[in-house]
Amino acid sequence: MKVNGRSYRTVWMDKASVFMIDQTLLPFGFGIYEARSYTDSCTAIKEMVVRGAGAIGAAAGYAMAQAILEGAWEDARKTIESTRPTAQNLFYATERVYNAALLGGPAAAVLIAQRLADEDVECCKRIGVHGAALLKDGCRIGTHCNAGWLAFVDFGTALSPVYTAHRQGKKLFVYADETRPRGQGARLTAWELAQEGIPHSIIPDNACAYFLSRGEIDIMIVGADRIARNGDVANKIGTLEKAICAKEYGVPFYVAAPTSTIDVSCSTGEDIPIEERSMDEVLYQTGLAGNRLEHVLVCSPGSPAKNPAFDVTPAKHITGIITEQGIFSPENITAALSAK
Amino acid sequence: MKVNGRSYRTVWMDKASVFMIDQTLLPFGFGIYEARSYTDSCTAIKEMVVRGAGAIGAAAGYAMAQAILEGAWEDARKTIESTRPTAQNLFYATERVYNAALLGGPAAAVLIAQRLADEDVECCKRIGVHGAALLKDGCRIGTHCNAGWLAFVDFGTALSPVYTAHRQGKKLFVYADETRPRGQGARLTAWELAQEGIPHSIIPDNACAYFLSRGEIDIMIVGADRIARNGDVANKIGTLEKAICAKEYGVPFYVAAPTSTIDVSCSTGEDIPIEERSMDEVLYQTGLAGNRLEHVLVCSPGSPAKNPAFDVTPAKHITGIITEQGIFSPENITAALSAK
């Protein structure tokens, strides 16, 4: 996608270096992080220079290829896999690159790392093509959190249909939920849309039902962190509220995600654990004061907060799930796996 | 209500001075503003040292009494009425005090100003008594924005049942929605509850449906800015989302408001105009960094925001409206007026 008019991926490899958009600087700054060694790449993954399932996977694959180029094997793999131990894609990537190296040496490792990144891009592109068919010219789209290209190598999931339809010449408008407490909608989604030149507005999370009730949102598209076999979807906190409100006003509510998000070990959403994060994410906000970042207390001093990071939206509130294999009804989502 | 263990009203008069809790300092500081003349009181009302329908009305009544004591009449009344020209209660208060002065001079003016403040307290107390009957021991209450005592002279509306039940010895827990963009829940509601020693937690607005879905909220109570004849309720943005979600999970959703909030000139909620406020309220946040206040940009620079201040919750989503006259079904809310 475009940044200052130039096309970028979130992560790429050139010779022995891995380059990443430094996401710790967004949305107030833009810079490229160069990892000259696999240990540099590990630091970048750990410190969230790169974040999001797809982007982490690609970065880990490149890091493994770097390690092989440097003559580091087992220990390097362990180091890479310890950077973000709950990121599923990371293990898949290191395994594929490592096995390729065993058979074909450093050249094969680099080739497979490159292929993994390309596969991520291709998958997101296909989600975009399937989803864009749902977006009419003049369409007003609501979204929650950031399921854009910054979380993947390119295009993203929920925003991929928007980018595709925009490039098809359709006029679109996006309502980006702020997405408290971490503000990924206000910070990352708005930033991505501005860079691509897509008209949009940030709205407080509280205002979504207001715009739905007035017929000002035609369709909602969100991403997914995990999808159960029955089509229940775990995603950023607040997704459930938006889905219930969309249904109240008869507005279609879509989830966009690669089929790798389907977790066949979860029969329903009740099997998906919900992470409770630090209350400080609610109590404090980081923002720009002049040209420096400040971390400020925005709540009554001493009061506690609860901060569940995700919620589960039951399949019955979801109109369809947009995958790289096509659009499936949530109840039939496992058919997307057999379509592979 | 209590502050640091001592009982306060938001506004009171002593000799020729009007005293107010300086709400511009909350929640990061606490101080009393002394208005020695009616022009001081006007400044305080204009600069939101005092805020909220009931508190503004009482302050305006006291200011009018101060003016009479100072020998100022017509011009003073105009000055007071121009401080917050959309505050209905302000005109009611100045008129009553002014007319009393015409008949009975300065002593009558002070007496009536005092009576107006006492009436506000009495009204909120009765809302508390009616509402407390809904709260069982061990009850977990959800609320949105701040409809507490800071907006009135004492007790408040949505929180008055909570304070009353708490003093009856019931164990309660309050989920206070943050209430973006201005954060009245996180700042004022949390502050009030902490001062009264009521267990509570701030939650992101996005998390309300999550707690409702898990059966962790037993009842929702919110305030109202205006109530239409058919029982539709205009209140802080986000109230509509909470009402829809409460209904989805079968959790009773109550509105608490004095009957003066009923606007018989509005037949339905569609007649209630919705104020669109500055986008800067969404884009920026003010908070405490160390011991100084900072105003920080929390969104992607350059992206616009929409900021509707209120939404309208249809009567069908409201279980009941708690007034000083008792609890009424929204469809029957005008009966509360004839009960007066």
Side-chain angles (χ1 to χ4, degrees), chain B residues 150-236:
Chain B
L150 289 170
F152 295 85
V153 179
D154 210 349
F155 288 92
T157 57
L159 294 184
S160 187
V162 173
Y163 295 136
T164 307
H166 179 68
R167 290 177 181 195
Q168 290 166 349
K170 293 176 188 169
K171 279 197 174 60
L172 307 169
F173 187 89
V174 178
Y175 288 86
D177 281 350
E178 178 183 24
T179 320
R180 281 281 290 151
R182 290 171 65 89
Q184 295 94 333
R187 291 168 179 250
L188 302 180
T189 297
W191 184 85
E192 284 191 17
L193 294 169
Q195 291 294 339
E196 278 287 310
I198 296 172
H200 65 282
S201 186
I202 299 164
I203 61 170
D205 301 302
N206 280 322
C208 191
Y210 171 80
F211 290 108
L212 287 165
S213 75
R214 294 161 60 99
E216 295 184 29
I217 299 177
D218 301 303
I219 184 172
M220 298 277 303
I221 312 180
V222 302
D225 280 89
R226 219 192 282 199
I227 302 175
R229 281 209 307 280
N230 73 339
D232 291 352
V233 169
N235 192 44
K236 185 64 59 212

Side-chain angles (χ1 to χ4, degrees), chain A residues 28-221:
Chain A
F28 306 115
F30 179 76
I32 304 299
Y33 179 99
E34 180 179 354
R36 293 171 191 268
S37 65
Y38 89 87
T39 50
D40 279 1
S41 292
C42 287
T43 305
I45 297 171
K46 200 180 282 177
E47 294 184 356
M48 296 176 82
V49 168
V50 66
R51 50 156 282 282
I56 288 173
Y62 285 135
M64 191 70 242
Q66 274 182 309
I68 302 294
L69 288 174
E70 295 167 32
W73 289 71
E74 269 302 315
D75 283 356
R77 182 173 171 179
K78 277 187 195 135
T79 306
I80 298 166
E81 290 179 348
S82 67
T83 53
R84 295 289 300 275
T86 59
Q88 200 83 26
N89 297 38
L90 190 153
F91 295 90
Y92 177 71
T94 49
E95 187 180 16
R96 270 190 60 186
V97 174
Y98 190 87
N99 289 347
L102 286 177
L103 289 170
V110 173
L111 189 78
I112 292 299
Q114 188 59 47
R115 188 176 295 166
L116 281 167
D118 291 343
E119 283 172 6
D120 185 84
V121 174
E122 185 56 31
C123 177
C124 287
K125 265 190 187 171
R126 288 171 69 181
I127 287 172
V129 171
H130 294 304
L134 298 168
L135 306 181
K136 297 204 182 90
D137 192 34
C139 188
R140 296 155 306 175
I141 302 120
T143 189
H144 190 68
C145 197
N146 176 255
W149 69 278
L150 289 169
F152 294 85
V153 179
D154 211 348
F155 289 91
T157 57
L159 294 184
S160 187
V162 173
Y163 296 135
T164 306
H166 179 68
R167 290 178 181 195
Q168 289 167 350
K170 293 176 188 168
K171 281 195 172 60
L172 306 169
F173 187 89
V174 178
Y175 288 85
D177 282 351
E178 178 182 24
T179 320
R180 283 280 291 151
R182 291 171 63 88
Q184 296 93 334
R187 291 169 178 249
L188 302 181
T189 297
W191 184 85
E192 285 192 16
L193 293 169
Q195 292 294 340
E196 279 286 310
I198 295 172
H200 65 282
S201 187
I202 298 163
I203 61 171
D205 300 303
N206 280 321
C208 191
Y210 171 80
F211 290 107
L212 286 165
S213 75
R214 293 161 60 97
E216 295 184 29
I217 298 177
D218 302 302
I219 184 171
M220 299 277 304
I221 312 180

Side-chain angles (χ1 to χ4, degrees), chain A residues 306-327:
Chain A
K306 291 181 188 282
N307 185 21
F310 305 99
D311 56 28
V312 172
T313 301
K316 66 178 175 181
H317 295 314
I318 298 166
T319 311
I321 300 178
I322 308 165
T323 75
E324 76 279 13
Q325 304 296 335
I327 303 175

Side-chain angles (χ1 to χ4, degrees), chain B residues 4 52 88 99 103 115 189 198 221 233 239 247 261 270 302 321 340:
Chain B
N4 303 325
Q88 199 84 26
N99 290 346
L103 290 170
R115 189 175 296 165
T189 297
I198 296 172
I221 312 180
V233 169
T239 304
K247 195 175 199 185
T261 314
E270 289 186 15
I321 300 179
K340 272 176 128 170

